[in-house]
Amino acid sequence: TEIYTLSLHDALPISRLPELIELANRSIDRAVALNGNSVALHHAAASVANTFRKNQQALDEAGRCLALDPAEAECALYMAGAYDGLGRLNEAEKMYLKAIELRPNQWLMYNRLGSFYYRHARYADAERMFRSTIQTASWNPLGYNNLAGLYLATRRFAEAADLLKTSNGLRPTASGLSNRGTCFFYLGRYAEAAAEYEKATNLEPRAHEHWHNLGDAYAKMPGFALRARACYRKALDLIVEQQRTAPAQEDFAIEALYRAKLGDLAGAQRALEEAHITNDNPGLRFREARVRELTGDRDGALRAIGEALSGGFSRNQVEQAPELERLRADPRYSKIVTK
């Protein structure tokens, strides 16, 4: 199952996104040609590029915006996200901190930096940022849910459950319901996990991760193998659609995992190669390990786990991953985790 902190809320039909991106970019280009010194226009251009993961374009436009107005905190966020997408992690962290400096009372700034730390296995720093998110916006369920996701990743199930109760009490969200389902999943209560994941798919039917999690729960329930496969297929279809409009390194690794669970070993290996995973991203190394184990590459899976753990990835998450259950019985695994 997947524990995650931020989800993309995509209200537009995927098939229309390419034409909408082109339309938005053309409109911005015309406006910039008329007035190239407009902060609002460069802000808008950076926002569009950031949304659709055009990292270099987002970096350029946000830089122009900040040159004209150094107090534009949102453009600092756009630059941070672009640096992150380009693998320039030190610069990304500096820009996230700059955004917080500009808007110290805005919860979003802390939440974005917390998510950055979480993705790069800096869990203590992530916890500090998510607590700041809650402190600056106690009414917002997102901070509670994200901190709960972190607790799930570090096997603090009771604390996670308490936070998710608060989060869903404020306002039920798909991510909150899904993370609550993950609490049940790791407690071995698979039918209850499936019920929460089903609620999450109802709230966000285009979020591939909810369908994947639901498939994992069904896969643990006798007589539900066909339902599990249907959920994995739905998750794969959604991530492939997303890749057509906004391809990303992480999404290729996700696609590889879904293909592996459907038995498409060649497709999984092909997608994994497209991800171009490096040791700068221990989270992707962990995902790679799961794909390699499912495709029969035990040596590659062990190597990827070692690299993920060396990069600071949580051993707890490795210990919880259902795809790695047999691998964890391999004597070589014990040697890796006790280094």
Side-chain angles (χ1 to χ4, degrees):
T1 58
E2 296 291 327
I3 301 166
Y4 60 96
T5 51
L6 289 179
S7 58
L8 296 174
H9 299 272
D10 200 347
L12 295 170
I14 290 293
S15 61
R16 290 190 58 211
L17 284 177
E19 65 184 68
L20 292 174
I21 296 170
E22 183 180 356
L23 178 62
N25 283 328
R26 283 204 309 267
S27 298
I28 290 170
D29 288 344
R30 285 197 299 269
V32 169
L34 292 172
N35 183 5
N37 291 323
S38 169
V39 171
L41 286 177
H42 290 300
H43 185 290
S47 176
V48 170
N50 182 264
T51 299
F52 297 108
R53 300 175 183 172
K54 306 294 184 181
N55 293 315
Q56 190 57 56
Q57 183 182 349
L59 192 62
D60 294 342
E61 292 294 349
R64 293 184 186 108
C65 181
L66 285 170
L68 292 168
D69 184 355
E72 276 285 342
E74 290 85 358
C75 281
L77 275 189
Y78 300 150
M79 287 193 77
Y83 279 135
D84 190 8
L86 293 168
R88 297 162 64 176
L89 305 186
N90 289 336
E91 292 163 290
E93 182 180 12
K94 289 177 183 177
M95 291 310 300
Y96 281 123
L97 289 170
K98 178 66 175 179
I100 290 174
E101 179 186 332
L102 291 170
R103 294 280 182 84
N105 297 317
Q106 171 56 259
W107 65 269
L108 178 63
M109 310 303 172
Y110 299 100
N111 192 66
R112 290 287 180 86
L113 181 54
S115 297
F116 169 81
Y117 286 144
Y118 178 89
R119 289 194 304 276
H120 296 289
R122 294 174 57 177
Y123 300 117
D125 290 327
E127 179 172 354
R128 182 166 50 86
M129 288 299 107
F130 289 145
R131 287 193 177 280
S132 294
T133 303
I134 293 171
Q135 289 168 2
T136 52
S138 60
W139 48 267
N140 191 333
L142 190 61
Y144 300 96
N145 183 58
N146 287 353
L147 185 56
L150 175 63
Y151 286 166
L152 279 167
T154 52
R155 305 184 78 172
R156 296 157 70 176
F157 297 126
E159 292 172 274
D162 287 344
L163 284 166
L164 289 167
K165 182 178 180 180
T166 300
S167 170
N168 289 325
L170 290 169
R171 177 171 58 84
T173 63
S175 56
L177 292 165
S178 187
N179 279 347
R180 189 163 186 254
T182 300
C183 282
F184 292 137
F185 184 92
Y186 288 138
L187 291 169
R189 295 156 61 178
Y190 301 118
E192 291 171 90
E196 296 301 312
Y197 292 144
E198 286 171 357
K199 294 175 188 175
T201 63
N202 288 334
L203 279 181
E204 286 185 356
R206 299 198 62 81
H208 59 86
E209 56 266 52
H210 304 324
W211 290 101
H212 169 244
N213 286 352
L214 182 55
D216 278 351
Y218 283 149
K220 291 287 189 178
M221 298 165 60
F224 283 78
L226 290 178
R227 288 196 188 183
R229 186 173 179 82
C231 288
Y232 293 147
R233 170 55 62 184
K234 178 71 172 178
L236 176 61
D237 290 344
L238 289 170
I239 195 66
V240 168
E241 283 186 330
Q242 183 172 304
Q243 284 288 74
R244 290 194 188 111
T245 56
Q249 179 186 23
E250 181 178 2
D251 288 348
F252 280 115
I254 294 171
E255 178 187 340
L257 181 64
Y258 297 169
R259 288 191 182 281
K261 292 193 175 186
L262 286 165
D264 178 9
L265 305 190
Q269 291 167 351
R270 185 172 59 251
L272 197 60
E273 290 174 1
E274 291 287 340
H276 302 294
I277 299 171
T278 67
N279 289 338
D280 290 336
N281 195 324
L284 286 186
R285 282 293 187 208
F286 170 60
R287 203 181 297 276
E288 176 191 356
R290 293 152 70 194
V291 174
R292 292 197 182 280
E293 175 67 9
L294 290 171
T295 56
D297 181 7
R298 173 64 58 82
D299 291 345
L302 287 166
R303 183 174 59 253
I305 286 173
E307 290 166 347
L309 293 173
S310 295
F313 194 78
S314 168
R315 178 179 171 180
N316 287 326
Q317 282 196 257
V318 176
E319 296 285 345
Q320 292 165 194
E323 303 90 351
L324 301 178
E325 184 175 355
R326 293 181 181 178
L327 178 146
R328 290 192 291 268
D330 190 314
R332 293 175 292 174
Y333 172 74
S334 298
K335 293 180 181 178
I336 289 172
V337 298
T338 54
K339 280 184 180 180

